[in-house]
Amino acid sequence: MIRSAIKGIGYHVPSQVVTNQDLTELMDTSDEWIKTRSGIEERHWVQGDEAASDLAFPAAKKAIENAGINPEEIDLVVVATISSDYFFPGVSSQLQEMLGLRNVGCFDLRAACSGFVYALSTADQFIQSGMYKTALVIGAEAQSKFINKTTEGRDISVLFGDGAGAVILQPSQDEAGILSTHLHSEGKDMKNLWMEGPGSSGLNQINKLTIEQAQRYEPFMNGREVFKNAVVRFPEVIQEALDKNNLSMDDVALIIPHQANLRIIQSVAKRMGVNMDKFYANIQRYGNTTAASIPIALCEAVEEGKIKAGDTIILAAFGAGYTWASAAIRW
Ligand code: UT7
């Protein structure tokens, strides 16, 4: 069986750093509230015309360089994002042009915070089947463009940050590679974390009514409900990855969870009876970057020497939909 392996990684965040203190000038909030509830100290936000593709492009270039490949070799691009530059087409088509790629298959995937693991799993199937040899998989978000940066939107806006992370997947030549991926979703409580418009439900017409209901064009989150679900689904999907590969926690060098809230990560570690050292966290510096959080964290963990050749790692995500997913990888 062909196994796919991550041959290159790269990430990019916008230059503007927004501290919790900076936010107190925009809304009624405090460094203490944000840090205690979420662990976040600062995040990066795009400025002016900067959009998701402007973050995805440098991240992709770094991953291509890191893999030591020629962009001509890429034959599939999958971008996980819910904050594409335009309603359509997707960021992936823009990247085809920006990176000067051949006219290869490019598509965006909308699975919110689980998007990167979904995209990785999708590209993995193409490599495993032998259909493609080199896939570029990206998580890229400029969520700060959609959030309400006043006191009215403070429950959401203090949590989100912008950024992008990318990987190059190719057939593995040795034992390294993606061991398994696990995707799930449950739509019954989708309104606990959603953005209603623009959409085909009726909020597609710009008229007086929709302008008055502008808040429906902002994300909404029932934080407590989402939290309660997250702390159950993360352990489930991590355990699923362990079971599938006959692994115990002792076999795993590092778990890279989606960075939604430091308290969620701590709670998952506690529920699984695992030391927090086994979970990577960088939410303190980036906030929740939705589909970009896992590839950014993966890059930093590798840079910090926390993942070495031969290590087994698990990526785990939970987010809007709800969707949740995991991937077991031998590095
Ligand atoms: O990545 C996708 C998945 N997302 C998640 O997994 C996020 C899950 N949820 C969470 O992380 C947490 O629920 C939050 C961080 C969103 C909120 O933490 P919480 O401990 O559940 O706080 P809360 O929602 O219960 O809010 C408590 C209070 C409220 O005031 P009252 O009604 O108790 O007087 C809010 O109005 O905090 C108030 N509040 C704020 N105060 C200062 C809400 N946002 C802020 C703010 N600054 N930014």
Side-chain angles (χ1 to χ4, degrees):
M1 194 191 98
I2 304 170
R3 182 182 279 175
S4 60
I6 295 178
K7 296 292 180 76
I9 53 173
Y11 76 101
H12 179 80
V13 290
S15 58
Q16 182 185 208
V17 177
V18 180
T19 64
N20 292 348
Q21 195 54 39
D22 294 334
L23 292 179
T24 64
E25 285 160 31
L26 302 175
M27 62 190 82
D28 178 15
T29 190
S30 67
D31 176 51
E32 202 264 335
W33 191 96
I34 301 169
K35 260 202 312 234
T36 323
R37 305 287 172 134
S38 70
I40 300 166
E41 293 168 24
E42 59 186 35
R43 73 287 290 138
H44 293 244
W45 278 356
V46 290
Q47 287 171 284
D49 291 340
E50 224 177 350
S53 70
D54 300 308
L55 308 178
F57 177 54
K61 278 209 303 192
K62 284 177 200 165
I64 291 167
E65 210 179 289
N66 184 248
I69 59 158
N70 184 326
E72 290 268 301
E73 292 174 52
I74 294 171
D75 39 26
L76 176 73
V77 179
V78 189
V79 178
T81 184
I82 54 167
S83 50
S84 50
D85 297 29
Y86 309 112
F87 192 70
F88 68 83
V91 173
S92 51
S93 301
Q94 290 172 265
L95 279 182
Q96 185 277 328
E97 176 67 15
M98 292 164 105
L99 290 165
L101 306 180
R102 290 179 292 122
N103 298 134
V104 296
C106 291
F107 61 93
D108 283 20
L109 189 152
R110 279 154 54 105
C113 299
S114 307
F116 181 77
V117 182
Y118 266 70
L120 191 75
S121 174
T122 305
D124 179 38
Q125 310 311 310
F126 282 108
I127 305 265
Q128 279 189 50
S129 73
M131 184 163 168
Y132 293 129
K133 292 257 174 318
T134 305
L136 169 61
V137 182
I138 302 176
E141 303 281 7
Q143 289 279 54
S144 68
K145 287 280 180 85
F146 297 93
I147 54 187
N148 178 347
K149 302 178 184 96
T150 70
T151 299
E152 266 194 332
R154 66 181 181 173
D155 57 329
I156 295 256
S157 55
V158 302
L159 303 174
F160 287 91
D162 303 330
V167 303
I168 296 287
L169 275 192
Q170 285 186 327
S172 172
Q173 313 296 342
D174 48 34
E175 290 304 301
I178 297 177
L179 305 176
S180 65
T181 56
H182 310 273
L183 311 181
H184 297 281
S185 91
E186 180 179 51
K188 83 176 158 64
D189 294 320
M190 67 162 194
K191 292 186 182 178
N192 277 339
L193 181 50
W194 76 326
M195 190 164 112
E196 195 177 352
S200 56
S201 66
L203 282 191
N204 54 335
Q205 290 164 17
I206 301 299
N207 54 32
K208 192 166 175 288
L209 183 70
T210 54
I211 288 167
E212 278 169 3
Q213 295 174 337
Q215 77 278 4
R216 290 160 75 189
Y217 290 87
E218 292 163 19
F220 165 83
M221 179 164 71
N222 180 343
R224 284 186 185 187
E225 280 307 311
V226 176
F227 194 108
K228 276 195 258 170
N229 277 273
V231 296
V232 171
R233 296 307 189 185
F234 270 115
E236 262 178 29
V237 84
I238 292 168
Q239 192 60 48
E240 189 178 355
L242 293 174
D243 293 347
K244 174 75 185 174
N245 298 289
N246 294 318
L247 298 169
S248 79
M249 271 295 187
D250 292 340
D251 301 315
V252 175
L254 196 66
I255 295 170
I256 302 189
H258 164 55
Q259 310 284 309
N261 187 324
L262 191 59
R263 283 193 298 139
I264 292 180
I265 302 174
Q266 288 163 340
S267 166
V268 171
K270 197 168 164 208
R271 279 165 186 251
M272 299 196 81
V274 180
N275 196 298
M276 189 51 194
D277 291 352
K278 206 153 250 191
F279 284 76
Y280 188 79
N282 63 2
I283 188 171
Q284 300 87 336
R285 286 174 288 118
Y286 298 113
N288 179 347
T289 57
T290 315
S293 91
I294 289 180
I296 293 174
L298 176 67
C299 289
E300 290 208 325
V302 171
E303 271 173 18
E304 291 165 20
K306 292 191 167 154
I307 304 173
K308 299 184 190 65
D311 280 351
T312 299
I313 62 166
I314 292 179
L315 314 182
F318 176 87
Y322 301 127
T323 54
W324 62 102
S326 65
I329 302 174
R330 179 145 318 123
W331 201 253

